[in-house]
Structures are given as C-alpha cells and as structure tokens.
Amino acid sequence: MTNKINIQVKIGKLILKNPVMTASGTFGYGLEFEKFFDLGKLGAIITKGLSLNPVKGNPPQRIVETPAGMLNAIGLQNIGIKNFISEKLPLLKKYKTPIIVNVYGRKVDEYIEVADILNDTDVAGIELNISCPNVKRGGLQFAADKKAVEKIINRIRKKYKKTIIVKLSPNTGNIEDMAIHCERCGADAVSLINTIVGMAIDIKTKKPVLANVFGGLSGPAIKPIALAAVFKVSKKVKIPVIGVGGIMNYKDALEFMMAGATAVQIGTANFIDPLTCVKVIKDLQYYLKENKIYDINKIIGAIKLE
Amino acid sequence: MLNQGKVVFNRKLNNTIYYLRIKVPISFKAQPGQFINIKVSDDYVPLLRRPFSIFNHERGFIDILYKVVGNGTKKLSNKKREDILDFIGPVGNSYVDFFYEDEFKEKNIYLVAGGTGFASIHFFARWLLRKKIKFKLFYGAKNKKEIFQRFCKNFDVLIATDDGSCGKKGLITSFINGDKDTIIFCCGPQTMLKTIQSIKAYKKIASFESYMGCANGVCLSCVIKINKGKEFDYARVCKEGTVFDLDDVIII
C-alpha cells in the first residue's frame, strides 16, 4: 500500500506545497539560486527586504563570523520595489512557487505605499519587516511601537487582499504581546525571529568589526532563542507562526514545527549550502514516511509536555 | 558550480603558508582572478565557507596558496591527501575579461602582487606566459618567508620586501615607474592598491579581496565602493568582481 503524504500547509489564504520558505536577505531575489536547483520546489520564496526607493546600505565591513553564527549589517541594500517588479518578478513567474515580498519602510507611509504597488502584481503576499536591527530609521524603531504597527497593518489590510505576514524581533519588548497585537490588527501570520542585535570588537585596533558597530546575529547560534519564541507565541495566537532562526537541516525544521510553527524559513544555511532548502523538503518527506505520518500538519505543535 | 574534489597534496611551505592541490573533473574550467569558496568544516565552527583565489589551474586540478590566519584556514590546513573538499566555484570575473590583446600590443604589461595577492596574479602570469605575451612581475611582501621565488622561475620578476630580506628593500610600489604606455594588473592589500591608483598608467586593473558571506551575490557583504559621477555605488566583489578597473574604485 502506498499512502500519499501530505506536506501542504496553509498560511492565511495561501496554500504552500510544502512548509519550507527562504528567509529574507539570504536568497536575494531568488534568481541567483536558479543555477543550483528548480525554484519551483520551494514552499515560497521570500525576497530580500524591498523599500519604495533603492537603498545603498551600510558601508563595509558588513559581515563577521562568530561562533556558530554570523553578524551582518548590510543595512537593507536593495533595488527598490519598482525595479523588482520590472526586472526580477517577470523572471520569477515561470516558477509555480508563491513569491512573498519582504517590505521595509523608513516611515509608516512607505510600508503602505509599497503594499499598494504590490496589490497590482502577482505577488502572493507580503512580509512586513518591522524588526531589522541594521537601519537607524524604520526597522527596529517599529518593533516595539504598537501604535505604529497597528497603523501599518490596519492601513495595508484595508486595501491589500493577499497574505500579510509580520516579521517580529526578539530585540525589543515582549514578542508574545506583539504577536497578539499583530493578530488583532489583522495580520495573517507572524514570522519569528529576525536576527538578534550583536557586536564584535577587533582587540588589535579596539574598533568595532562592523562599520555599523551593531549587526544582526543569525545561524545555529540563535536557534534555541528562536525556538523558544515560536513555542511561546504559537500558544498565544491562532494565526500561523512561521519559525526562523538557525535552521540548518530537517531536524531543526521539525523542532520548529513541533514547537508550533506551521512553516519554516531557511536563512543563513543558504549561504553555506545553496541546496539546503531542497534537502530539507526531501528529508522532511523521508522522515514522515519513515514514521508513518501522512500529514505534515500533524507535526505542528506536536511537542509533548508532561 | 557545486563541486567536489580530492586533496592531492596540502603542503606546508613555511610556518603559516600552505600549498593545496585539489583534483577536479576535466570539465572544470577557471580563469585567473576567479576564486573558489571552500567548505572547510563539517560542523558549525567555522560556519561559513572560505573564499580562496585560484593560484593555478590546469586540466584536472586547481591549486590554492593560502595563509593560515584563523579558524577556517587552520581547519583547511588539516586536510590530508584523499580528503574530499566541497567547494563552490569558480566564482567571479577574470583579469582576462579586461585584457584586450590588440589594444595592449604596444604597451608594457606590469603585474603587481602584494603578499597573498600573489596567488591570483601568479595564475594570470601563467596565462600570459602561455599566450607568449611579455610582462614584468613586481612582487612584494613583508619578508623573505612570504616570497615564493620557486613559483617565479619563468617570470621577469622584481622582488621587494619591507625588511629587505629578499630582493630590494621597501614597498613594491616604490619600484614601479608607470607612464602612458603602462598597463597594471594587481592584487594585494588595499593600501597597496591605493598607492597604485596614483601611479601613472594607461590602464590599471585590480582584483579585490573582501569578507564574504555567500559568494553567490545575495548576502551583499563583500561590497566595495565604486565611482558613479558625484555619487557612488556598492559593487559585489563576488559578482561584479573580483576584478575591477582600479580607477573606478573608491578606496578609503
């Protein structure tokens, strides 16, 4: 007897063929990975953070490796939403994978303007980045500001018909409160966590290694923190939680799903092994088959607490 | 792009410098100035791959000349014959993309290598040699230990070291007299490249090194500043580079 295994999951109105997405900022605009694998295999592609106008980003040095992780301070360098729509999006259309645009604004109106522009495209959803640690204006400043978050989500929700995901930060305030707040405001899902603020110092020069002084820590080093956040938040909200932070393989992905995540995002691992996402999808299927679990949704929140 | 190769040898040339040969499929092709991004570890420390200029490449193998400076290069130095190395590459553009044979016919070709910048310059020197194009190599380093004369046998070379322990004493750039018929290809520390910017030449082409995350154009970590009128742009060393027209680059 061959039983078909279901690995589809649902995020808001969006059905994903599998729960594996790419984390913003680690997958460019998707096309850079065409040479490695068929992008159509992904659950969804989340783009590099896009703003209304192109952004140059921070001066170098922008990256430094730390134990089992890395700090980045790119500063949201991007080509701007209009260039993305005219240059990149048409090339992504041939893949039957939902494209989710990560949106970043310096002020509330900018988020709304970008969402308005995206309303007229084939983009399947937006992920609001209100938690980037590497930009002075926007980013983190919103992560703890409930009123600003409410304004952003409310005003986008009014016009924007597709899926709205809000990416949350572990850096400020209480992530559970903020997740509940996002749900109330009309978000379809929350993704957590964004990178954690960190820094490194060169003891020879006594200078910070990163030109921006601070950077966002990612990689396996932050996995336990992300996992705890997903576990706590998924008990408090009804909307799906998307787990992200240091996922390197299917076992990490399973931990996040057992903790309550409906889907996962893979980030830093894409830098090390560009095939990580497809390997995780394949290995998840293998795990389900081995364990005779015929629906991946049965894993979500399957953690046993005695 | 995703490749694997067996270690043929991983020789220690002195205290910190190693000479690694990787066996690759015959179909593998690389050009001088390109690099490969090697996975040096199977666990999470170090986490990221490490980029290395290609020192030499002929049918079926790649050579890397590297200096042990940290965790990543330390792990690489422990690789033994027959070990399998996982690498991405070749990555980046090449000096060759900037070499216009007809235009450069009557010009003097200078190659300038500083420290481990010698690796990619060496590969380019061999490319020129094979094409029977005349050039002069200027090769500078801190001291005798960091100069590898054994790899310069067939080159017209001028060597300089900071302490005078090999060749002339002083910075290599102080021995270069450029003019309107000089074409410089260089790789080395940014201070050296900055000095070369002020040397008179018909054209100056440089390969840059940078701290990298992905070497796939997506993480935007490895950027350098490029002139754009009164403004500037960031260019990725891994994608738009590693080789740039040196006059376009803003070195701080």
Side-chain angles (χ1 to χ4, degrees), chain A residues 161-177:
Chain A
K161 300 289 174 255
K162 289 173 263 184
T163 303
I164 300 174
I165 302 165
V166 186
K167 190 165 187 177
L168 298 180
S169 164
N171 294 311
T172 50
N174 182 321
I175 201 165
E176 294 153 77
D177 284 354

Side-chain angles (χ1 to χ4, degrees), chain A:
Chain A
M1 192 178 101
T2 54
N3 280 297
K4 199 159 164 47
I5 295 168
N6 175 51
I7 54 166
Q8 273 189 5
V9 295
K10 226 178 138 191
I11 302 288
K13 299 149 212 99
L14 194 61
I15 292 170
L16 306 183
K17 65 177 86 120
N18 66 64
V20 178
M21 315 173 166
T22 61
S24 179
T26 64
F27 209 70
Y29 306 110
L31 301 164
E32 295 85 347
F33 283 77
E34 275 180 327
K35 57 181 176 287
F36 295 117
F37 66 89
D38 171 12
L39 300 180
K41 290 184 173 170
L42 294 166
I45 294 171
I46 303 191
T47 68
K48 169 85 185 154
L50 283 154
S51 47
L52 189 57
N53 298 308
V55 170
K56 277 193 167 42
N58 291 329
Q61 186 173 339
R62 290 177 168 187
I63 188 172
V64 61
E65 188 168 326
T66 56
M70 54 166 272
L71 288 163
N72 88 80
I74 310 303
L76 288 166
Q77 178 179 341
N78 78 89
I79 59 173
I81 193 66
K82 285 166 198 156
N83 290 328
F84 170 76
I85 291 168
S86 62
E87 292 166 22
K88 308 288 180 185
L89 195 55
L91 301 172
L92 287 166
K93 272 180 190 166
K94 63 173 174 283
Y95 300 104
K96 289 191 177 83
T97 287
I99 309 298
I100 296 171
V101 171
N102 182 285
V103 177
Y104 146 74
R106 278 162 217 263
K107 34 187 208 270
V108 172
D109 288 343
E110 201 178 327
Y111 284 93
I112 294 150
E113 225 174 303
V114 175
D116 276 349
I117 294 170
L118 286 170
N119 226 348
D120 304 324
T121 68
D122 293 340
V123 161
I126 53 178
E127 181 182 59
L128 300 171
N129 180 4
I130 57 162
S131 48
C132 177
N134 293 330
V135 285
K136 284 198 183 74
R137 293 166 59 76
L140 260 192
Q141 135 195 7
F142 291 119
D145 185 343
K146 284 193 179 172
K147 272 192 187 150
V149 170
E150 187 169 348
K151 243 193 216 168
I152 295 170
I153 302 175
N154 273 342
R155 286 174 56 189
I156 293 176
R157 182 80 289 173
K158 262 183 210 158
K159 281 200 217 163
Y160 192 74
K161 300 289 174 255
K162 289 173 263 184
T163 303
I164 300 174
I165 302 165
V166 186
K167 190 165 187 177
L168 298 180
S169 164
N171 294 311
T172 50
N174 182 321
I175 201 165
E176 294 153 77
D177 284 354
M178 191 47 100
I180 294 166
H181 183 65
C182 290
E183 181 176 38
R184 270 193 211 131
C185 296
D188 294 303
V190 285
S191 48
L192 40 125
I193 57 176
N194 208 324
T195 55
I196 297 170
V197 176
M199 68 183 286
I201 297 169
D202 181 338
I203 57 168
K204 274 187 212 149
T205 60
K206 300 191 182 75
K207 287 180 181 167
V209 178
L210 298 173
N212 187 52
V213 182
F214 303 111
L217 181 63
S218 66
I222 71 165
K223 198 193 87 182
I225 300 168
L227 198 60
V230 166
F231 177 61
K232 286 183 192 169
V233 168
S234 59
K235 287 203 292 192
K236 297 272 175 73
V237 296
K238 291 196 180 65
I239 53 174
V241 171
I242 301 164
V244 49
I247 298 176
M248 302 298 284
N249 51 49
Y250 82 100
K251 290 181 186 171
D252 295 334
L254 279 172
E255 276 193 78
F256 274 92
M257 295 192 76
M258 287 175 182
T262 301
V264 294
Q265 294 178 6
I266 290 170
T268 303
N270 294 318
F271 297 161
I272 301 143
D273 181 0
L275 298 180
T276 307
C277 290
V278 278
K279 284 180 181 166
V280 169
I281 296 164
K282 208 172 130 226
D283 291 346
L284 278 177
Q285 282 171 292
Y286 186 74
Y287 166 86
L288 293 171
K289 200 176 160 196
E290 281 288 286
N291 290 280
K292 299 192 168 57
I293 302 164
Y294 299 106
D295 183 358
I296 200 158
N297 289 278
K298 293 216 165 83
I299 299 288
I300 302 168
I303 182 173
K304 283 184 182 168
L305 298 163
E306 299 302 338

Side-chain angles (χ1 to χ4, degrees), chain B residues 70-81:
Chain B
N71 245 334
T73 39
K74 179 94 197 81
K75 278 216 169 167
L76 187 61
S77 73
N78 293 330
K79 300 286 180 195
K80 300 272 180 301
R81 188 185 157 85

Side-chain angles (χ1 to χ4, degrees), chain B:
Chain B
M1 279 294 283
L2 286 170
N3 275 301
Q4 279 195 335
K6 264 189 191 164
V7 174
V8 179
F9 57 72
N10 193 13
R11 276 179 209 143
K12 192 172 182 173
L13 297 187
N14 67 35
N15 275 349
T16 56
I17 294 176
Y18 285 76
Y19 178 26
L20 165 71
R21 174 164 293 177
I22 310 164
K23 190 172 183 254
V24 291
I26 285 166
S27 57
F28 181 94
K29 295 231 157 42
Q31 297 266 49
Q34 292 189 300
F35 67 95
I36 60 171
N37 206 18
I38 304 179
K39 196 164 186 296
V40 292
S41 149
D42 292 326
D43 54 36
Y44 299 155
V45 182
L47 183 65
L48 299 168
R49 289 170 182 266
R50 293 291 186 267
F52 298 93
S53 291
I54 299 173
F55 172 69
N56 193 23
H57 159 60
E58 278 169 43
R59 243 168 86 96
F61 67 84
I62 311 171
D63 289 349
I64 303 294
L65 191 72
Y66 66 97
K67 190 174 177 175
V68 174
V69 288
N71 245 334
T73 39
K74 179 94 197 81
K75 278 216 169 167
L76 187 61
S77 73
N78 293 330
K79 300 286 180 195
K80 300 272 180 301
R81 188 185 157 85
E82 296 290 304
D83 280 355
I84 288 174
L85 277 183
D86 170 335
F87 67 92
I88 297 176
V91 189
N93 65 356
S94 165
Y95 296 111
V96 175
D97 302 332
F98 292 80
F99 196 86
Y100 307 106
E101 231 176 310
D102 292 341
E103 190 185 335
F104 293 178
K105 217 164 233 167
E106 306 294 315
K107 312 282 184 203
N108 301 314
I109 311 285
Y110 287 179
L111 270 49
V112 187
T116 49
F118 175 63
S120 80
I121 288 291
H122 170 268
F123 186 13
F124 187 48
R126 298 196 46 133
W127 184 87
L128 290 169
L129 208 61
R130 205 171 306 147
K131 299 207 96 185
K132 298 190 168 63
I133 296 163
K134 273 178 74 177
F135 64 90
K136 188 172 176 70
L137 169 63
F138 295 84
Y139 182 10
K142 273 189 201 130
N143 53 51
K144 193 180 177 176
K145 277 188 171 173
E146 301 199 352
I147 294 282
F148 298 94
Q149 274 176 295
R150 54 189 280 193
F151 298 116
C152 300
K153 275 174 201 153
N154 302 317
F155 309 149
D156 172 13
V157 59
L158 185 146
I159 290 169
T161 47
D162 295 359
D163 62 0
S165 56
C166 183
K168 296 190 182 291
K169 186 177 176 179
L171 293 175
I172 191 66
T173 42
S174 59
F175 301 100
I176 305 167
N177 291 308
D179 58 34
K180 63 173 178 36
D181 289 323
T182 305
I183 293 170
I184 297 176
F185 289 89
C186 51
C187 184
Q190 295 233 343
T191 47
M192 182 190 98
L193 301 182
K194 194 166 171 68
T195 309
I196 293 174
Q197 279 185 325
S198 60
I199 293 174
K200 192 173 180 192
Y202 177 75
K203 218 163 225 170
K204 289 168 257 182
I205 308 298
S207 170
F208 279 77
E209 295 176 328
S210 186
Y211 293 100
M212 286 188 182
C214 69
N216 183 31
V218 298
C219 78
L220 309 178
S221 299
C222 63
V223 297
I224 56 170
K225 269 188 179 176
I226 300 289
N227 274 308
K228 194 188 171 194
K230 283 179 186 167
E231 277 273 317
F232 73 89
D233 252 348
Y234 284 121
R236 298 165 291 186
V237 169
C238 75
K239 207 79 180 178
E240 284 79 43
T242 64
V243 185
F244 293 88
D245 187 325
L246 187 57
D247 289 329
D248 290 344
V249 182
I250 304 168
I251 302 173
I252 310 138

